[in-house]
Amino acid sequence: MDLNTVVEIRDARHPAPWLPGDAWLGGGTYLFSEPQPRLRRLVDLSRTGWTPVEPLPDGSLEIAATCTIAQLSRFARASARTAAPLFEQCCRAFLASFKIWNMATVGGNVCNALPAGPMISLMAALDGECLLIAQDGSRRRVPVASFVTGAGRKDLAAGELLRSVTLPARALDRRTAFRQASLYGLGRSGVLVIGTLDPLDGSLAITVTASTVRPVRLRFPHPPTAAELRSAICSAVAEGEWFDDLHGLPEWRRHMTLRYAEEIRREVTR
């Protein structure tokens, strides 16, 4: 879609004051998908040259905001880390064409903060931490699970940039389980639940996305009973936090979340 209110595209490598009507441009799959009448200038990140996925000396993984879904998928398929299959499962949750895969970015999906954003699901489940850079150059780090605060809402100030998401080494060595539901064969996720089991201490984490307006991350020092897991989810998600749109009623999302969480509990603890 043409954005007929945009009058300038600026290269992000050349700093300039942030102005009202500015927006970061990564892959552009969202920006060009619908009218953006408030935009006047796009700040293009495509020439920054950031390494898409970079293993760090401590075993952690830094994923650039400009990393495309296709690049992340290729990296994961060649990785021997225990949690590597989860990357591909979340990439496939896009149910998008190859054109979208080769343009859509990890950073764009996280910053859109949509409940069904599968990169939010992946990064939150693996204890991802956002690196945010303000216009004055100051930096701060925020867990992905806290970065997304609601449907379309995130902890991001005007002009602030999501530079990357870092996944800790320990999270990459966890056993994982994945469940996803949609009302349609090729539809948007209505429910997405991920479980991770830490082999070092036996702790279990359950991450709920798509069915809720924000990521819900539950940690258990030891695998809970079915009743304990159900109670924890019901306590963590307020009644108004079950997402409601044409992709699923809150009652259905809640039911499927509880069902999948129990399936995951059994799968990873047997």
Side-chain angles (χ1 to χ4, degrees):
M1 173 176 288
D2 292 336
L3 300 180
N4 56 19
T5 62
V6 173
V7 296
E8 181 184 357
I9 297 180
R10 180 170 68 79
D11 191 331
R13 295 174 299 176
H14 308 302
W18 190 262
L19 302 174
D22 281 1
W24 299 108
L25 172 62
T29 55
Y30 166 71
L31 283 179
F32 290 97
S33 70
E34 60 183 54
Q36 309 286 346
R38 68 175 186 83
L39 297 187
R40 300 294 178 269
R41 182 171 65 168
L42 301 178
V43 185
D44 185 11
L45 297 167
S46 64
R47 303 176 197 174
T48 53
W50 297 335
T51 302
V53 187
E54 185 173 7
L56 301 180
D58 64 356
S60 60
L61 201 63
E62 184 179 52
I63 302 170
T66 50
C67 174
T68 66
I69 306 309
Q71 289 171 326
L72 184 64
S73 174
R74 285 195 295 270
F75 174 86
R77 288 199 299 269
S79 174
R81 304 300 290 268
T82 305
L86 182 63
F87 286 68
E88 186 70 8
Q89 289 170 317
C90 289
C91 287
R92 293 289 171 187
F94 268 103
L95 298 174
S97 71
F98 74 92
K99 293 181 287 185
I100 298 296
W101 266 49
N102 282 279
M103 292 300 297
T105 62
V106 169
N109 192 251
V110 172
C111 287
N112 274 341
L114 299 177
M119 293 298 99
I120 297 171
S121 309
L122 173 65
M123 304 304 168
L126 295 180
D127 293 335
E129 188 177 64
C130 298
L131 172 59
L132 305 174
I133 305 177
Q135 286 294 297
D136 63 5
S138 60
R139 300 185 172 209
R140 64 188 180 104
R141 293 185 179 273
V142 179
V144 172
S146 301
F147 177 73
V148 177
T149 59
R153 303 200 310 268
K154 60 271 186 183
D155 180 12
L156 193 68
E160 199 168 27
L161 170 67
L162 171 60
R163 167 60 180 84
S164 62
V165 177
T166 300
L167 305 178
R170 186 164 174 174
L172 296 170
D173 293 324
R174 293 176 185 155
R175 182 181 174 188
T176 66
F178 174 95
R179 295 291 190 282
Q180 177 203 18
S182 172
L183 290 178
Y184 318 101
L186 294 175
R188 179 180 296 178
S189 298
V191 180
L192 202 157
V193 185
I194 296 171
T196 62
L197 186 69
D198 193 317
L200 295 181
D201 60 12
S203 62
L204 174 68
I206 298 290
T207 303
V208 177
T209 54
S211 59
T212 51
V213 297
R214 59 176 177 83
V216 174
R217 181 111 166 112
L218 301 172
R219 298 174 186 272
F220 303 91
H222 305 286
T225 64
E228 288 170 341
L229 176 58
R230 182 183 183 90
S231 176
I233 293 173
C234 292
S235 297
V237 184
E239 197 63 32
E241 290 186 319
W242 295 105
F243 195 45
D244 184 6
D245 71 353
L246 58 83
H247 296 283
L249 293 173
E251 294 81 4
W252 174 77
R253 294 178 192 264
R254 180 180 182 275
H255 169 77
M256 293 302 296
T257 296
L258 295 172
R259 172 182 167 179
Y260 282 161
E262 172 57 15
E263 288 182 7
I264 286 172
R265 183 191 73 86
R266 294 181 182 181
E267 177 181 330
V268 299
T269 58
R270 65 181 176 217

